[in-house]
Every structure is written in structure tokens, then in C-alpha cells.
Amino acid sequence: MQLSSDKKARRNYFKSTRERPPNEAFDWTPFRSAEKRFKAKFPRPDLSDILDLALLDNDRIEEVERGGWKGSADVSKIRPLRTIDEDGKGRNIFLLPQIPGLVLLPGYLSHECQRELVSWSLCDHARPPNETSLDTHYVLPREGIWSTHVRYRTHGEALTEQLILPRAVTSENAAKQPEPPGPRQLVSNKPADPSNFDDLSQELKLPAAPSPTVRPTRASELLYKLRWANIGWYYHWGSKQYDFKRDKVGVDGIVSQICKRIVRQINWADVFASHDTKPHQDESDWGPGGPEWESWDATYEPDAGIVNYYQLKDTLMGHVDRSEVCATSPLVSLSLGNAAIFLVGGLSRDVEPVPILLRSGDALVMAGPGCRRAYHGVPRILEGTVPPHLQSSGSEQDGWEHLAEYLQTSRINVNVRQVFPKGFDPMNSAKPR
């Protein structure tokens, strides 16, 4: 199977390069060049310059070796910080001096916690009242697509697998936003802040119209088309803004607690100070209230986010998050399943990005005015990198074998952020109290 896929990748490579204009690569920005390099199936990308912090942990060597993809633990690129967990256990976290506010916590999630989050992401979260990428086009069962899938897999031929029906194109859907013909267009949204919140929140945000071409589909097939599930405040993909007219769903306790614990454990004074103790950014970059990191241990409250479900061929194009009114508060990212290449650059695509290999159990935080406005993306999911502790032993009694089977071709990313800064009242227009 691997040999066949390699031959196919080789054929596609020579076909695409033969038809490519000779000077096309000269028009690519440094960020786009990196995306192209790591996305390529042939030739297999060289990962020797990718930061792979799992190599610093002797307990993860088996995971790295079994996966077959290996980066580099070049400590010259990073600055370690010692931190203490709430249980009193010390751990190293790492900073990239060229990207102030980026904090890497390799192997932060225990094996048990990873399993719990995988189960939560699929069994508990990808169902009402949380909207998913499938809801626009299909009438999903109330129990969620995962439970429907597992019920059939468990009972096998004793059941006729349920077909998930497409949403009918009716008068009810006529007022929804249709998908424009041709290639998808990038949406350049206005950066949200307290001064323009009132205008942005009043903009009309029509729901997307269901596709007229989808057909009834089995849950076992549709599951692998799931791409995201909303957390907290509802994110409107058509405008890349939050829709505050819709009811907010609370952030689940397990996710909120993990994110708060991570933010509290980080010594932000060390993060935002260079070796000579001078701040990396002028205080004006933080806005009129000055640096907010001094009170994050008390004021950080995650209220929005997304669970991303990647399949092996999926990518996330380089982009900037600018929908949150609070543009500096920590964004916490948790990785589960197959490893991924993560690119993070600067304020434009013209900045050369830093490639980082994120493995299952790793946590990453982006915080502060520079890092939160940095371009970032995921050009590659690395096949065969699910760690041993997420594999099925074949003897589980808790249904883990179904979750393990899903993870063989998947990566799950739980991505959580804070929309509103301290003192901002969304119900009282656009000014801090």
C-alpha cells in the first residue's frame, strides 16, 4: 500500500511540475513556500530543520521511532523555562525568542488525559447544542454522529446502518447565504477591538445555505468528513466574526480547567522579557490598558474556540486570528492523535515561518500582541504517528477500539481562546467599563 501511494505521489509530482510555469515559485511568499514544501508528498519533505521537542524526552523516544517522522531538538532555537505544576511537579516549557508570546509545552497532557479528551471531542462535543461543519448540509441525529456510528459498528449486521439525510433546499433555506460559484474566496475580516465591536456585532450574518448536491450518507462515511465543532460563542465562517446574537454554549469543564491551569503555570514575566529583561514589545502594543499578562492568572476565562478534526490529507492554510475583541489573551492549542507540522511566522506572509512538529499530548500557547497577530497554519498531518498509548490493545471494554480506529487517519486539535478582555461588557456596547 505504501509503495502504491509513493508511486502515485511521484506521478503527481512530475505532472504538476511539468505544467507549472517556470517562475511560479518566485512569486511565493516565504510562508507560502514553506507550506508548499511540507505539503508535498514527493519528494518526501526533509524534517531535519523542524523543531521536535519530543526528542528531549526519553519517555517519548519509542513514540518518535515508531512514527518514522523525526525533526530536530536544536536547543539553540529555543529558551527553556522551568515551571511547577499544581501538583508540585516541575517541568520544562520552551520559548522561541524570535516570536514573543509563543510557549511550547511538549507532552503536557498525560496519556489518560489524552484519551479523555479524544473521547470528549468525538462522543460528547460533536453533537447538539454544539454546531459542527456537517450541520449546514445534513440533518444530524440528536445523539451525535459518533454515537450513531458506534451503535452500528457494535451491533453490526443486526442493524441497518442509518442514512444521514441532507437538508432539503426549501423556502426556509432561501434566505441563507449561498455558496458563490467557482473557487472559494478568502475572507479578509476587520480586526475586532472594543471600539468597533458594536458595528461588527450588528452586521448581518446569514447562515450558509445547504449544498444541493449532497446525498443521503451513512454515518460511518460522514464521520470522516467532520472537520470542526464549535466551542462557546458561535463563530460565523462566512464573515470570520462571532455571531453574538446566537446563544452562547458554555465551555466544557474539562477543557476550561486544562486551559486555565496552563495559563496559570506560565511565568508571563519571563515570557515577555528578553535576556536583558527589557520587554520585547512597547507597552502601547497592548492597547490603552497596557500589558494584560500581569493579571492573566485571575482574568483569563476561555469562552470560545473550536475542535478541529483533520484527516491525513487535510491542511490549514496560513491565516491570522483577528475575530476576538481581546487580541492579546492566550490562545491554547491541544494536540491529539497523529502529529502535525505547525508553521508560525510574523505579521505578514513575507516573514519566514518557524516549523514545529506538534505531537499528541503537546500544548501550545499563543499570547500577546505580536504572537496573536502572527500568521500560522498546518500544512501537513504526518501519517503513522499515533502514539502507542492511543492504539487499541484489542481487549478494551470501554469502546476505545472505535476511537483508536478513527485516530489511525486523524488528528484532533482543541483550540480555545478568550473573546472579551477584562472590563468589557458585550451587552453594553463598545466601551470598557
Side-chain angles (χ1 to χ4, degrees):
M1 180 65 72
Q2 182 63 44
L3 182 61
S4 175
S5 61
D6 288 346
K7 286 183 177 180
K8 182 179 179 181
R10 191 172 187 269
R11 286 197 308 269
N12 290 339
Y13 169 77
F14 285 116
K15 180 180 178 181
S16 64
T17 54
R18 183 171 62 248
E19 298 174 354
R20 180 183 299 164
N23 295 326
E24 181 184 35
F26 293 114
D27 296 330
W28 295 341
T29 64
F31 200 102
R32 185 58 176 155
S33 295
E35 289 178 315
K36 288 282 190 179
R37 170 192 164 195
F38 292 118
K39 186 178 180 180
K41 299 296 183 181
F42 182 89
R44 181 179 166 119
D46 177 12
L47 306 191
S48 61
D49 63 342
I50 291 186
L51 186 60
D52 187 359
L53 294 176
L55 296 173
L56 298 178
D57 187 346
N58 289 332
D59 293 336
R60 303 181 78 183
I61 296 302
E62 179 188 0
E63 172 188 344
V64 174
E65 296 297 337
R66 286 181 56 165
W69 296 90
K70 185 187 300 185
S72 168
D74 185 353
V75 294
S76 67
K77 299 179 180 178
I78 56 177
R79 182 160 69 94
L81 286 179
R82 194 69 176 167
T83 186
I84 305 297
D85 290 347
E86 290 185 342
D87 59 4
K89 178 182 178 182
R91 79 164 55 242
N92 282 328
I93 64 176
F94 300 89
L95 313 179
L96 268 69
Q98 68 269 46
I99 307 178
L102 182 69
V103 184
L104 303 172
L105 300 90
Y108 181 83
L109 303 173
S110 69
H111 294 179
E112 294 75 16
C113 185
Q114 290 176 54
R115 282 196 169 212
E116 186 177 5
L117 281 174
V118 168
S119 179
W120 169 84
S121 299
L122 290 164
C123 308
D124 302 328
H125 190 71
R127 55 177 296 181
N130 306 298
E131 187 144 345
T132 75
S133 57
L134 299 175
D135 283 287
T136 295
H137 307 292
Y138 295 92
V139 182
L140 300 180
R142 291 291 301 175
E143 65 177 348
I145 192 168
W146 179 261
S147 294
T148 304
H149 164 72
V150 170
R151 181 155 43 82
Y152 174 75
R153 292 300 304 274
T154 301
H155 297 285
E157 295 180 359
L159 289 177
T160 300
E161 186 171 7
Q162 178 179 347
L163 287 177
I164 309 297
L165 300 178
R167 293 193 180 276
V169 181
T170 64
S171 57
E172 176 188 352
N173 296 319
K176 295 185 176 181
Q177 183 68 45
E179 185 76 18
R184 292 185 62 184
Q185 301 297 311
L186 294 177
V187 178
S188 181
N189 60 318
K190 298 177 183 177
D193 62 47
S195 67
N196 66 10
F197 166 76
D198 205 32
D199 292 335
L200 294 178
S201 63
Q202 295 303 317
E203 288 182 1
L204 184 63
K205 299 177 176 67
L206 293 174
S211 170
T213 62
V214 298
R215 297 290 181 264
T217 307
R218 293 181 175 85
S220 56
E221 298 174 14
L222 200 56
L223 173 66
Y224 291 88
K225 297 181 180 180
L226 176 67
R227 290 299 175 266
W228 55 261
N230 196 76
I231 297 176
W233 289 110
Y234 176 73
Y235 187 76
H236 183 262
W237 290 88
S239 62
K240 291 193 175 180
Q241 299 290 352
Y242 291 97
D243 188 350
F244 298 107
K245 294 181 180 179
R246 297 186 54 163
D247 292 337
K248 175 191 173 187
V249 180
V251 178
D252 194 272
I254 179 178
V255 172
S256 179
Q257 290 168 16
I258 291 172
C259 294
K260 287 181 179 180
R261 186 168 68 243
I262 288 174
V263 171
R264 283 197 299 263
Q265 286 179 208
I266 297 172
N267 186 334
W268 293 104
D270 286 340
V271 172
F272 290 110
S274 61
H275 295 294
D276 61 4
T277 72
K278 293 181 180 179
H280 278 292
Q281 294 121 337
D282 187 276
E283 290 191 2
S284 62
D285 294 339
W286 291 83
E292 298 163 1
W293 57 264
E294 299 169 347
S295 60
W296 278 342
D297 58 339
T299 63
Y300 172 72
E301 187 65 44
D303 55 7
I306 191 170
V307 180
N308 291 304
Y309 306 88
Y310 294 88
Q311 292 302 301
L312 293 178
K313 293 183 179 181
D314 292 338
T315 63
L316 180 64
M317 181 178 289
H319 66 285
V320 174
D321 297 315
R322 43 190 178 189
S323 305
E324 290 73 42
V325 176
C326 183
T328 59
S329 184
L331 180 155
V332 180
S333 173
L334 309 173
S335 293
L336 304 163
N338 279 289
I341 297 173
F342 177 74
L343 300 178
V344 57
L347 301 182
S348 78
R349 291 186 177 91
D350 292 323
V351 177
E352 182 80 25
V354 176
I356 302 169
L357 206 161
L358 295 178
R359 298 182 181 274
S360 190
D362 291 349
L364 175 147
V365 183
M366 299 176 69
C371 191
R372 283 299 309 273
R373 289 293 187 256
Y375 275 85
H376 56 282
V378 179
R380 183 71 172 264
I381 309 299
L382 300 175
E383 63 275 9
T385 52
V386 178
H389 58 269
L390 295 183
Q391 307 275 359
S392 174
S393 66
S395 60
E396 292 97 348
Q397 302 297 317
D398 57 359
W400 180 258
E401 69 273 14
H402 300 302
L403 294 163
E405 180 184 38
Y406 174 84
L407 288 178
Q408 291 306 303
T409 62
S410 308
R411 174 188 183 244
I412 299 174
N413 171 242
V414 182
N415 197 293
V416 187
R417 66 280 309 273
Q418 181 175 4
V419 176
F420 296 116
K422 179 184 178 182
F424 186 80
D425 181 5
M427 305 306 294
N428 190 27
S429 190
K431 293 184 179 180
R433 291 178 291 182

